[in-house]
Amino acid sequence: MNKFLRTRRVRWITGASLVMVMLLGLYSFNDDKRNFEVIKNLDIFYTLFREVNSYYVDETDPEKLITEGINNMLESLDPYTTYIPESDMEDFRFMTTGEYAGIGSLISKRGEHVVIAEPYEGFPAAKAGLKAGDKILEIDGNNMVGKATSDVSEKLKGPAKTTLKIKVQRPGEKKPINIELERQKIQINPVPYYGMVNDETGIIQLNNFTQDCSREIEKAFLDLRDKQGAKSIVLDLRANPGGLLDEAVKIVNLFVPSGSEVVSTRGKVKQWDKTYKAMRQPIDTVMPLAVLISRGSASASEIVSGALQDLDRAVVIGQRSFGKGLVQTTRNLSYNAKLKVTTAKYYIPSGRCIQALDYTHRDEDGAVGFVADSLISEYKTKNGRSVFDGGGISPDIMVESHKYANVTFALVVQQMLFDYATEFVLRNKDISAPEEFSISEEEYSRFVDFVKAKEDFKYESLSQEKFKDLVKTAKREGYYEKAEEDFAAMEELLKLDVEKDMRQFEDEIKELLVLEITKRYYYQKGSIIASMQNDTELEAAKKLLKDMSEYNGLLDGSVVSHAGDRPSRSKKS
């Protein structure tokens, strides 16, 4: 090689090396710059906190200040990235496992008292004779009147096999009642009910995706198929907020062939990206399957319903789901605290992500918008049916959700139904079976009188709400004074009449009253059975599963479904 070529090659290698060094230096510079920004802002935060804590005019609570700072910071990201201090770890474990140690009862606040709202069947509260409506006066001699629900809950929980004494005031009893009971490990079954809804169709209701819930689904399915003769199944995921992703994968795996892709996750840390497939042999890949979803079905519920829809394994019925396509990972922090942080988005078998809200782009006021229409894409199911991303799971069969009247909503929120059910139990030792129980006209009239006698029962009709808005607008624009008498007449016309409104919406109020009362005699299971007597989504599923030509047509695309409806939502949240 001559001297000229050697010199040229050395220059080329030197130049290439210099470019590489510059690129590495630039990368290192950008990385160093980011690290510097982190260190700088942490230092600012520390010095600011130190100065506030030292010199603020009043005493400050350091833990409260820091916790609020952390929570506000995380809130700017998304609602699912949260800080879990050590004091909240028990609640966090309950959310993921469905397990805690206590008496096994829901409690709620009624005025100055915390009351037993719902004792769980088979657990210490129910076994000891505690009833819904009992006012908690003392726990182990400590006064509970005026205490917050969280304070009472803390006293009720504790290590398993420890005893506690509760003093309660029971409606209808003159003297307080003292009850001694032993705490035990409480494992809430994520499948509160399963059974046959007709001669050939069974239903399985899943409330949340806690640890081992897939096992409960499998047990229920096998019992319905092999012992009760079910020829088709309805999986009820309505109002199920989700939970563990692994459990969602296992549930889908029960119904699809081994090796089928169920969901994949993708995020910033590429080493964490993962594809989840059906790893075991399914229990049934042919039985007709319908999945019920609602606006409150989210996260793992959407993985199950979406994957079964994408794989054309089930027909989805109900309303468009919530649209949570984000995955959270729990990271350990110092002092036994944890961070639940959004680390990825998940994608169901068609390739779509059903995340509806775009948290990366906010308005100046902090409002979050839905994924822009222009960014919504079309995907195909296994059989070639059209489905879309960016807006939750759209059902194959759409069933409009019932919208309750304002008076009905007020009766629930102000616990009129709860209080009347407590009074009803004092007069009635037992009732008929949940599937047969109903509210007579005489009983309903008694309930109307009960509500009318409550001076603190207040509500507004939708017409009144709109009228107030109209008055504000008219005053702002100068029209109100010109027609003040007309506005006064309209206000009088819209004046509330509790009895009239309760009669107008009698059917829906009766249904809710039935659920509250049956729960007192037959616990949660009885309330669920009663609710199925007027269940429009369940009726749609039963009708579909009797018509295999429509069922198969929806899955192969020969019958038009709503699943291919393109979401179009641009309003703010």
Side-chain angles (χ1 to χ4, degrees), residues 252-527:
V252 175
N253 193 168
L254 297 174
F255 306 110
V256 301
S258 177
S260 301
E261 182 176 327
V262 177
V263 65
S264 62
T265 61
R266 290 174 239 158
K268 182 194 289 184
V269 183
K270 297 306 175 188
Q271 302 95 300
W272 292 359
D273 289 356
K274 188 173 180 181
T275 297
Y276 295 81
K277 294 185 177 182
M279 300 301 291
R280 54 166 280 191
Q281 289 302 312
I283 57 174
D284 197 302
T285 61
V286 295
M287 182 181 284
L289 185 63
V291 181
L292 304 183
I293 62 171
S294 67
R295 191 75 186 92
S297 303
S299 190
S301 293
E302 294 173 298
I303 291 175
V304 171
S305 55
L308 292 174
Q309 185 181 63
D310 280 359
L311 296 171
D312 297 304
R313 176 62 185 90
V315 171
V316 180
I317 299 172
Q319 301 88 46
R320 188 183 291 278
S321 64
F322 184 80
K324 180 179 180 285
L326 305 175
V327 180
Q328 283 72 48
T329 302
T330 304
R331 306 289 295 169
N332 293 325
L333 303 176
S334 53
Y335 296 98
N336 298 317
K338 289 183 184 293
L339 170 68
K340 183 160 71 76
V341 58
T342 298
T343 54
K345 292 181 179 180
Y346 69 75
Y347 299 80
I348 47 182
S350 63
R352 56 181 169 145
C353 177
I354 51 81
Q355 176 63 27
L357 294 175
D358 183 4
Y359 293 105
T360 58
H361 299 93
R362 294 175 182 258
D363 285 351
E364 291 180 2
D365 61 357
V368 180
F370 288 106
V371 172
D373 293 351
S374 60
L375 298 178
I376 291 172
S377 303
E378 181 179 356
Y379 295 82
K380 296 292 182 182
T381 68
K382 185 179 178 182
N383 289 339
R385 298 186 296 145
S386 291
V387 287
F388 291 89
D389 64 357
I393 303 299
S394 182
D396 300 291
I397 297 177
M398 191 78 74
V399 179
E400 288 298 322
S401 61
H402 182 74
K403 292 180 174 59
Y404 288 100
N406 280 28
V407 64
T408 308
F409 186 75
L411 289 168
V412 174
V413 171
Q414 297 178 47
Q415 299 193 54
M416 294 295 108
L417 298 165
F418 180 89
D419 291 346
Y420 188 76
T422 302
E423 192 264 346
F424 179 94
V425 171
L426 296 176
R427 293 185 286 106
N428 298 273
K429 186 177 180 181
D430 52 37
I431 60 173
S432 54
E435 59 268 29
E436 298 169 356
F437 178 67
S438 62
I439 302 294
S440 67
E441 280 303 314
E442 181 185 356
E443 193 64 55
Y444 190 71
S445 294
R446 190 194 293 261
F447 177 53
V448 172
D449 292 339
F450 174 86
V451 175
K452 284 168 62 180
K454 299 287 185 180
E455 293 182 4
D456 57 345
F457 177 65
K458 306 289 182 187
Y459 74 100
E460 283 190 347
S461 68
L462 186 59
S463 298
Q464 283 180 312
E465 290 175 11
K466 297 295 183 185
F467 177 72
K468 283 185 175 180
D469 291 339
L470 176 63
V471 168
K472 286 180 184 177
T473 304
K475 284 181 177 179
R476 188 168 59 248
E477 295 182 347
Y479 293 112
Y480 181 81
E481 292 75 11
K482 298 175 183 178
E484 194 167 350
E485 289 185 8
D486 293 329
F487 277 105
M490 178 64 73
E491 187 173 16
E492 185 65 28
L493 183 65
L494 295 176
K495 192 171 285 185
L496 289 178
D497 183 329
V498 173
E499 181 167 3
K500 184 184 78 174
D501 286 350
M502 288 185 68
R503 291 295 177 187
Q504 183 177 348
F505 300 103
E506 181 174 335
D507 289 345
E508 67 182 34
I509 295 171
K510 274 185 175 180
E511 284 181 21
L512 295 178
L513 193 54
V514 163
L515 302 188
E516 188 60 52
I517 290 174
T518 52
K519 194 185 297 178
R520 304 301 178 94
Y521 296 89
Y522 299 101
Y523 298 98
Q524 185 183 35
K525 192 174 290 185
S527 182

Side-chain angles (χ1 to χ4, degrees), residues 4-240:
F4 173 75
L5 289 176
R6 278 201 307 273
T7 304
R8 189 172 179 182
R9 185 181 178 187
V10 169
R11 286 176 179 172
W12 182 86
I13 292 172
T14 304
S17 301
L18 184 59
V19 170
M20 185 63 70
V21 169
M22 289 174 66
L23 288 173
L24 288 172
L26 183 61
Y27 176 81
S28 178
F29 172 77
N30 287 333
D31 203 37
D32 288 346
K33 184 179 179 184
R34 180 176 177 81
N35 288 337
F36 172 74
E37 289 296 323
V38 170
I39 294 167
K40 182 185 81 172
N41 284 286
L42 282 174
D43 191 41
I44 291 171
F45 184 83
Y46 164 70
T47 52
L48 181 147
F49 172 73
R50 184 188 62 199
E51 297 301 306
V52 168
N53 191 54
S54 299
Y55 300 115
Y56 185 69
V57 63
D58 296 320
E59 282 299 314
T60 61
D61 182 338
E63 185 176 353
K64 184 179 178 183
L65 278 178
I66 290 293
T67 300
E68 285 188 7
I70 291 171
N71 289 337
N72 284 321
M73 174 182 69
L74 298 182
E75 192 178 300
S76 70
L77 302 175
D78 65 49
Y80 316 111
T81 296
T82 55
Y83 168 61
I84 307 163
E86 185 180 13
S87 58
D88 292 346
M89 282 309 300
E90 191 172 339
D91 290 336
F92 175 72
R93 275 192 291 271
F94 173 64
M95 287 171 59
T96 55
T97 65
E99 182 184 297
Y100 69 99
I103 68 169
S105 174
L106 285 177
I107 57 175
S108 65
K109 187 80 172 175
R110 295 294 285 123
E112 280 194 319
H113 297 89
V114 172
V115 304
I116 300 294
E118 182 188 345
Y120 298 138
E121 185 176 10
F123 289 111
K127 287 179 179 178
L130 284 170
K131 297 182 181 297
D134 286 351
K135 297 176 181 177
I136 300 175
L137 304 179
E138 294 180 6
I139 299 176
D140 288 334
N142 296 298
N143 180 32
M144 292 292 113
V145 179
K147 298 289 186 180
T149 309
S150 57
D151 295 329
V152 176
S153 176
E154 185 106 4
K155 289 286 186 183
L156 292 174
K157 291 176 183 176
K161 297 186 178 179
T162 56
T163 59
L164 74 160
K165 295 178 181 178
I166 303 178
K167 181 188 283 189
V168 298
Q169 182 65 58
R170 180 164 295 163
E173 300 284 343
K174 291 182 179 179
K175 293 183 179 179
I177 301 171
N178 290 296
I179 295 177
E180 184 171 333
L181 66 168
E182 185 179 85
R183 297 180 183 94
Q184 73 177 62
K185 183 172 145 184
I186 309 295
Q187 177 72 54
I188 303 300
N189 194 330
V191 177
Y193 178 80
Y194 73 89
M196 298 296 289
V197 293
N198 58 31
D199 292 341
E200 295 191 336
T201 302
I203 186 170
I204 305 171
Q205 187 178 90
L206 181 67
N207 276 357
N208 44 56
F209 287 78
T210 49
Q211 194 173 316
D212 294 329
C213 69
S214 55
R215 249 185 241 169
E216 295 299 324
I217 293 286
E218 182 174 359
K219 278 165 41 181
F221 180 89
L222 293 176
D223 185 62
L224 289 170
R225 185 190 67 181
D226 300 341
K227 296 180 181 179
Q228 301 190 43
K231 301 291 189 294
S232 56
I233 292 291
V234 177
L235 178 59
D236 189 352
L237 300 180
R238 288 174 295 180
N240 185 322

